[in-house]
Amino acid sequence: MIFDKDGTTTIVFQENIALTKFLENLKGAYSKIKNDNIIVNLFSFSELTSGDVLEFLQLSETHRSAGKSFVLVTNRVGYDEVPENIIVVPTLQEARDLVEMEEIERDLDL
């Protein structure tokens, strides 16, 4: 598992591992990054379904309820294929932009 910290945001990605193992590792490392906004880069997973994305739902809800952003990045599953309470975007730039917008909203108490 690779962590790329940029300010208050950590981008998490992994190469050559099964999704279930990646999620298990992410949950194990969560305590180290729980105070950051989290972007999870899923581009290394060539076969990804909306069901796979839903595996991140509990972690996403936990993190977002703590007042931090949690964004999944993949172009294999569209935002319209998953519930509104999990954020999916197709590019890392969109994920960074979304985190920035959410931080502004939190700062303004919106």
Side-chain angles (χ1 to χ4, degrees):
M1 180 161 298
I2 302 165
F3 298 103
D4 182 15
K5 185 165 172 71
D6 181 18
T8 61
T9 301
T10 298
I11 300 173
V12 182
F13 57 100
Q14 179 70 49
E15 296 180 15
N16 301 325
I17 193 170
L19 183 66
T20 53
K21 184 66 174 166
F22 173 73
L23 189 56
E24 181 182 310
N25 291 345
L26 180 59
K27 287 178 180 178
Y30 181 71
S31 63
K32 298 174 188 172
I33 59 173
K34 69 180 181 180
N35 295 320
D36 292 343
N37 297 303
I38 299 174
I39 297 173
V40 180
N41 184 342
L42 298 174
F43 277 117
S44 64
F45 299 101
S46 58
E47 307 225 355
L48 199 65
T49 67
S50 58
D52 294 331
V53 168
L54 288 177
E55 296 292 322
F56 291 90
L57 184 60
Q58 181 182 3
L59 188 58
S60 173
E61 288 178 336
T62 299
H63 198 67
R64 294 179 69 76
S65 69
K68 297 292 182 181
S69 299
F70 189 93
V71 183
L72 300 175
V73 182
T74 181
N75 60 359
R76 303 201 189 292
V77 176
Y79 68 91
D80 56 339
E81 297 177 58
V82 294
E84 287 182 14
N85 50 348
I86 191 160
I87 308 287
V88 176
V89 296
T91 67
L92 280 173
Q93 186 58 51
E94 286 182 70
R96 287 183 181 105
D97 292 345
L98 185 77
V99 167
E100 187 175 331
M101 287 188 313
E102 286 183 344
E103 280 193 326
I104 290 169
E105 288 175 355
R106 286 189 290 268
D107 288 345
L108 297 173
D109 291 325
L110 297 178

